[in-house]
Amino acid sequence: SVDTVMVVASEDRPDVPTFGNELLTCLNPTVTLDGSAFVGGNLTGRWCQLDSNNLEINCLDNPLLIVSASGTYRFQVTNTTTGCNNSV
């Protein structure tokens, strides 16, 4: 007797927002990066600062990040049900 099984991959990546550039000034020494509109339920958000090699450093598992230093930051949304993620 022979049986077959079909395996289907689900790589349905969550939506992520597009963020504009922010400006730190003497009058505005911090900015809040806010990805909270894209998380909830089975979607979680995380911010990471990127080093000069585009590697993640100083990551925070939170959709809100208060920034007081210039640099490049990445936001990642993960679907905790499927394990799929997407980032900008």
Side-chain angles (χ1 to χ4, degrees):
S1 165
V2 175
D3 196 5
T4 60
V5 176
M6 179 182 283
V7 177
V8 178
S10 172
E11 294 188 20
D12 186 21
R13 298 189 181 277
D15 291 331
V16 291
T18 301
F19 296 94
N21 292 332
E22 298 286 347
L23 181 63
L24 298 172
T25 66
C26 294
L27 295 175
N28 190 24
T30 63
V31 295
T32 300
L33 304 178
D34 186 357
S36 60
F38 293 85
V39 300
N42 63 332
L43 300 176
T44 61
R46 157 180 138 134
W47 282 102
C48 293
Q49 186 176 10
L50 302 180
D51 68 10
S52 60
N53 295 313
N54 236 17
L55 299 175
E56 295 179 345
I57 57 173
N58 303 324
C59 294
L60 178 67
D61 291 329
N62 193 314
L64 294 173
L65 179 66
I66 298 173
V67 174
S68 60
S70 62
T72 302
Y73 297 84
R74 174 180 292 152
F75 184 64
Q76 177 178 315
V77 177
T78 299
N79 181 322
T80 58
T81 302
T82 64
C84 292
N85 62 57
N86 205 355
S87 61
V88 291

